[in-house]
Amino acid sequence: MTSKPNPSNQAKFPFTIPIAFITLFLVLAAVLNVLLYLVLSGDQQRRPANPTNSLTATYFALHTATPSQTPFLPGPTATITPTVTPTLPPTATLEPTATQEPTATEILPPYDIPDSSGLPGSASLSGFVGHAQFYNLDCESRSAVDFARYLGNEITESAFLKALPSSDDPNKGFVGSYNDPVGQIPPDSYGVYAGPIADLLSSFGTPAEAVFGFNWDQVREEIANGRPVITWVIFGIAEGTPIDYVVPSDGSAIVVVHYEHTAIVIGYSPDTVTVMDGADKYSVSLSRFLDSWSVLGNMAVIAQ
């Protein structure tokens, strides 16, 4: 007897097989997908994405650059260029002026025409140099050595003072000490008159003469001929009052004055007189000079 197939078994078999294959396929696909994901994820972590444009490349470079092992060094210090100082052309050097020997006299216009006395109306000695006093009462010695130097003879003031004689009569020697206060009269420290000064100048090699009662035209003649004149005046070319004095040693009567002084006449004009008073050169009116000079009788020392 032939058996008949079971319809229920025939319908079940074809349906079961496809479901098993689909299930297996899905499982395998899932596993492969997981494996592929793991592989791709690991490679992505090991190797960064390749940049595709300039912005991505810049970002990639900034965030993936390997830190430098070289320590940071400051940038180079700016070099300061020194300021160039302009070189100025050298100042022209003036050639020294040759020293001019003292001339006899300098006649000053418009008084170069002789007046009634035959002398120029104005004249001045060139190159006369005076020096300050060393002591309070050494004006006569100071004037004497400046006078001698102008005439070509060098004498030191200290040598002249040491050689000057002492006396209670100024006509014979120096009265008192040349370092005492000014303005006194004999027998206190006073000074010396023209005679001892002229004698000592001559002994030192400068021939000189003491004169008394000299007049103004005679002074002008000396200046016009290039010779200075030492005059006895009152300090500052001031006015003074003559005082009679009796010399104790011999009883002779002489004239003295407070602030007796010397000044060297080195120039004149019709109305003025120029003097060298120590180191000071100045001019005073002719009337003022004549008044001061007259107190001690127009006393002077001139060159021979």
Side-chain angles (χ1 to χ4, degrees):
M1 170 190 301
T2 307
S3 62
K4 294 181 182 180
N6 189 352
S8 61
N9 289 338
Q10 289 180 355
K12 182 178 181 180
F13 179 73
F15 177 76
T16 303
I17 293 174
I19 291 175
F21 275 102
I22 290 172
T23 302
L24 178 62
F25 175 77
L26 291 176
V27 171
L28 289 175
V31 171
L32 288 174
N33 188 42
V34 170
L35 291 175
L36 180 61
Y37 175 79
L38 293 175
V39 170
L40 291 177
S41 296
D43 185 64
Q44 183 71 19
Q45 291 177 357
R46 290 191 303 270
R47 180 170 55 86
N50 191 31
T52 58
N53 54 52
S54 59
L55 292 176
T56 306
T58 302
Y59 180 85
F60 175 78
L62 292 174
H63 289 77
T64 61
T66 304
S68 173
Q69 300 301 316
T70 304
F72 172 79
L73 296 176
T77 304
T79 303
I80 299 176
T81 304
T83 302
V84 179
T85 302
T87 303
L88 298 178
T91 304
T93 303
L94 298 178
E95 293 294 329
T97 304
T99 303
Q100 182 179 1
E101 294 295 327
T103 57
T105 190
E106 180 181 2
I107 307 301
L108 305 178
Y111 307 112
D112 52 350
I113 300 174
D115 58 14
S116 58
S117 67
L119 298 171
S122 178
S124 178
L125 301 183
S126 299
F128 194 102
V129 178
H131 299 83
Q133 295 179 208
F134 286 162
Y135 305 99
N136 292 334
L137 299 177
D138 67 338
C139 60
E140 303 94 350
S141 295
R142 180 69 264 165
S143 294
V145 297
D146 287 340
F147 174 92
R149 180 180 291 108
Y150 181 79
L151 296 175
N153 185 17
E154 290 284 343
I155 308 171
T156 65
E157 185 177 351
S158 59
F160 198 90
L161 278 171
K162 288 179 181 178
L164 194 61
S166 296
S167 176
D168 59 354
D169 183 351
N171 287 302
K172 296 179 180 179
F174 194 96
V175 178
S177 170
Y178 46 75
N179 203 30
D180 278 354
V182 300
Q184 304 181 101
I185 59 173
D188 294 323
S189 295
Y190 180 69
V192 62
Y193 285 166
I197 293 295
D199 292 343
L200 191 55
L201 277 169
S202 297
S203 69
F204 271 101
T206 299
E209 178 184 0
V211 293
F212 304 89
F214 219 49
N215 64 47
W216 177 236
D217 281 345
Q218 289 173 304
V219 173
R220 293 171 61 211
E221 183 177 1
E222 292 298 304
I223 302 303
N225 285 285
R227 298 186 294 264
V229 178
I230 305 175
T231 59
W232 268 251
V233 294
I234 313 306
F235 183 80
I237 320 295
E239 295 180 351
T241 302
I243 299 172
D244 293 329
Y245 171 70
V246 176
V247 178
S249 60
D250 59 13
S252 59
I254 63 172
V255 174
V256 296
V257 65
H258 291 288
Y259 296 100
E260 172 265 333
H261 192 57
T262 58
I264 306 173
V265 177
I266 61 171
Y268 68 87
S269 75
D271 302 314
T272 63
V273 180
T274 302
V275 298
M276 184 64 69
D277 187 350
D280 298 325
K281 177 182 176 181
Y282 56 88
S283 295
V284 297
S285 68
L286 176 59
S287 60
R288 173 179 165 181
F289 172 79
L290 293 177
D291 286 345
S292 189
W293 185 36
S294 67
V295 175
L296 290 174
N298 290 21
M299 180 167 44
V301 167
I302 59 175
Q304 284 187 330

